[in-house]
Amino acid sequence: MSYPTPWQGQWPHQPSPGQGGGSMLAATADRERAVDVLRAGYAEGRLREDELEKRVARAYDARTVGELMLLVADLPQGPQTAPAVQGPPMGFRPVPPTFLPSPVQRTNGKAVGALVCGLLTVPTLGLTGIPAVVLGHTARAELRRTEEAGEGMALTGLVFGWLSIGGWALLILLGLIAASASSG
């Protein structure tokens, strides 16, 4: 007696609902996965071209996962059985960590203070330079010990703070030179 091949759909051993989800309705992704397995089988020389075309057509017409499993049952990659454990609802796929938003880091308060004081050195004519430097160095020390964000803010505050201190030092030095040159 000659049995028909499984992919012709007349195979006597259709999976029952309890055997790997064979009666579960097939999704587009399931059909595409089956077609990929079929194409790989053709590329490896396991299927003839006419057989590939017939199976691909049946894969796109399949209503259940069981029908798809039968189409790829005689190929190395197939069939993929559904997990026995009840998982998430159908159609649910967990989002890969790559596509999840990154967790928001807490920003160091002293780094924010250093940035504000550093930026205020321009309108205050350098009066906030010393607080910017103190806050910037303190913030950078804390950032090395903690997982907080704010390195760029602390560094910006330090740069503006030191520039204002340097500007005041240069201004005082030029004033002293001018005072000593005029008195001498």
Side-chain angles (χ1 to χ4, degrees), residues 108 110 138-148:
N108 186 288
K110 291 179 182 161
T138 308
R140 290 190 75 200
E142 285 181 8
L143 290 172
R144 283 187 216 108
R145 292 189 313 260
T146 65
E147 296 290 321
E148 295 176 315

Side-chain angles (χ1 to χ4, degrees), residues 21 23-28 30-31 63-65 82 86-94:
S23 65
M24 181 171 53
L25 291 176
T28 303
D30 298 324
R31 290 182 189 89
R63 288 210 14 93
T64 66
V65 174
Q86 181 66 25
M90 241 173 78
F92 173 80
R93 293 198 177 141

Side-chain angles (χ1 to χ4, degrees), residues 17-146:
Q19 294 178 333
S23 65
M24 181 171 53
L25 291 176
T28 303
D30 298 324
R31 290 182 189 89
E32 292 298 327
R33 198 171 15 254
V35 169
D36 288 343
V37 171
L38 293 170
R39 287 189 178 137
Y42 173 73
E44 294 170 353
R46 298 178 190 276
L47 296 173
R48 294 183 319 270
E49 187 174 357
D50 62 324
E51 189 176 359
L52 169 70
E53 291 171 5
K54 289 177 186 176
R55 287 193 191 197
V56 167
R58 288 199 47 132
Y60 285 123
D61 290 337
R63 288 210 14 93
T64 66
V65 174
E67 293 175 46
L68 294 173
M69 289 169 58
L70 289 175
L71 290 172
V72 296
D74 58 344
L75 296 172
Q77 294 95 342
Q80 293 187 0
T81 59
V85 179
Q86 181 66 25
M90 241 173 78
F92 173 80
R93 293 198 177 141
V95 177
T98 308
F99 298 110
L100 290 175
S102 58
V104 178
Q105 280 185 312
R106 193 175 143 231
T107 304
N108 186 288
K110 291 179 182 161
V112 174
L115 176 65
V116 170
C117 288
L119 293 175
L120 286 176
T121 58
V122 176
T124 63
L125 300 175
L127 294 178
T128 58
I130 292 174
V133 169
V134 171
L135 286 170
H137 282 296
T138 308
R140 290 190 75 200
E142 285 181 8
L143 290 172
R144 283 187 216 108
R145 292 189 313 260
T146 65

